[in-house]
Amino acid sequence: MNKKMDWSLVQSFLAVAETGSLSAAARALKATQPTIGRHIQTLEQDLGVTLFRRQARGMGLSPEGEALLDPARAMQDAANALSLSAAGEASELNGTVRITASLFVAHYILPPIIAELRQSAPEIDIDVVATDTSENLLFREADIAVRMYRPEQLDMVTLHLGDVELGLFGSVAYLKDVTLTNTLEDVLSTCAVVGYDRNEEIIRGFRSAGFPVTRDFFPTRCDNQTVYWELVRAGCGLGFGQRKVALADPELREVEMGIDIPTLEVWLTAHEALRHTPRVDAVWRVLAPRLARYCDRPNPSLAPPTA
């Protein structure tokens, strides 16, 4: 092969290798399936090898494709480092900052903070990436992340903003004719609880409290946190949620269980190459104190350590 390597072809190769199918790779790269297919075909022709073999479910790497996987990932790492370095040199305040947060945080907590950002720095565009998956800051999928756990990636600047209390809540209408004695046994024998579908977090929590429930214990289930909360508000049963959001809702009532519920840590994170660029710094300086106040921690440091 004498011509230069086309990076877009290598991106498509990596996406198919990591997702196992053309359609999944297309979704990951926000492209069409025929485009990804053409990229793979072109790369195979340029290299003179077969990179994938079709399987019953998706596409598997050929031996030649396996041999090229590490060099392709090295190219990806170099491209990401170049992008981060270039972005870190930006000296202007205007531009776009992408903020990623969980569905619940993005829905119930971030909107008034984003409105404040629009007032204080109207020259900065804000992209809100609402997802319960962990967007990769190394790959510039987001510039700042609001995490409910401490990030452990290298080269990240992190700030612990505080902890969020959780509680068990039900709608006022659902609990209207219910009398509880504030024990977990009473709650579980009297009320339905909205659970998760594939996420086993609630099941593990109940088991650690001495109640070996299974998925079938929950008559209504949903993994989407925003939909989950709306199911609770609609009266499908009791559900766990952030106390500050729930206590501000007149349609909800807290249910005491007689046990402690773990809190959620809240962390603000950015890649160290971007943290002090003007636009990221401006957004950070609004997010940090506002989210800290939400956690009842009024004065977080704006110069956090690197994780």
Side-chain angles (χ1 to χ4, degrees):
M1 184 186 72
N2 295 322
K3 64 180 181 179
K4 295 180 179 179
M5 178 74 69
D6 185 337
W7 169 234
S8 65
L9 304 185
V10 179
Q11 282 184 303
S12 295
F13 164 70
L14 283 172
V16 175
E18 291 168 357
T19 63
S21 73
L22 294 175
S23 58
R27 289 193 297 271
L29 295 178
K30 296 180 174 58
T32 65
Q33 183 172 333
T35 296
I36 302 300
R38 285 195 299 272
H39 283 181
I40 298 303
Q41 185 177 29
T42 300
L43 187 59
E44 288 180 329
Q45 291 172 349
D46 289 347
L47 297 175
V49 298
T50 299
L51 298 174
F52 295 95
R53 301 192 186 281
R54 292 192 176 276
Q55 301 174 336
R57 293 184 178 181
M59 301 177 69
L61 283 167
S62 67
E64 294 82 1
E66 287 280 4
L68 292 176
L69 192 56
D70 284 343
R73 284 175 172 159
M75 287 182 66
Q76 183 182 59
D77 290 343
N80 290 331
L82 181 65
S83 175
L84 282 167
S85 179
E89 294 300 319
S91 59
E92 297 180 355
L93 187 63
N94 64 312
T96 299
V97 175
R98 289 172 64 82
I99 304 169
T100 184
S102 70
L103 293 170
F104 190 93
V105 169
H107 186 100
Y108 293 102
I109 301 170
L110 281 186
I113 303 177
I114 302 303
E116 183 177 326
L117 275 166
R118 297 295 307 128
Q119 293 292 322
S120 63
E123 61 273 44
I124 299 176
D125 295 338
I126 302 295
D127 291 339
V128 178
V129 184
T131 175
D132 287 331
T133 63
S134 294
E135 297 300 288
N136 198 324
L137 301 182
L138 290 174
F139 295 163
R140 294 299 310 282
E141 293 170 359
D143 300 307
I144 297 177
V146 182
R147 300 282 196 234
M148 312 310 280
Y149 56 88
R150 180 168 189 170
E152 296 181 350
Q153 284 180 300
L154 299 176
D155 303 323
M156 294 295 157
V157 175
T158 65
L159 175 61
H160 182 211
L161 298 173
D163 300 323
V164 172
E165 292 184 341
L166 302 177
L168 183 65
F169 292 85
S171 72
V172 172
Y174 180 80
L175 293 169
K176 181 176 61 174
D177 299 319
V178 175
T179 301
L180 298 173
T181 61
N182 296 338
T183 66
L184 186 54
E185 294 90 339
D186 189 26
V187 170
L188 297 184
S189 64
T190 306
C191 301
V193 178
V194 181
Y196 295 150
D197 178 16
R198 297 181 180 180
N199 185 332
E200 295 188 345
E201 186 175 353
I202 292 180
I203 292 175
R204 290 194 295 268
F206 274 119
R207 289 177 177 174
S208 67
F211 294 86
V213 301
T214 64
R215 180 178 181 276
D216 294 335
F217 172 78
F218 307 96
T220 308
R221 300 178 288 265
C222 182
D223 285 338
N224 183 298
Q225 292 294 314
T226 302
V227 176
Y228 174 95
W229 195 239
E230 292 304 316
L231 290 170
V232 174
R233 295 184 74 252
C236 294
L238 306 182
F240 295 92
Q242 298 184 24
R243 292 187 75 243
K244 202 151 193 177
V245 170
L247 292 175
D249 190 335
E251 298 299 318
L252 292 173
R253 171 183 147 198
E254 187 168 15
V255 175
E256 296 293 338
M257 297 187 298
I259 63 171
D260 293 330
I261 302 176
T263 58
L264 287 177
E265 295 183 350
V266 182
W267 292 80
L268 202 59
T269 306
H271 194 281
E272 63 180 3
L274 299 178
R275 165 64 185 89
H276 293 292
T277 58
R279 63 177 180 271
V280 172
D281 184 64
V283 173
W284 182 286
R285 287 178 177 274
V286 173
L287 284 174
R290 291 285 276 105
L291 288 170
R293 286 202 296 273
Y294 177 78
C295 300
D296 295 322
R297 185 183 178 192
N299 296 306
S301 166
L302 290 178
T306 300

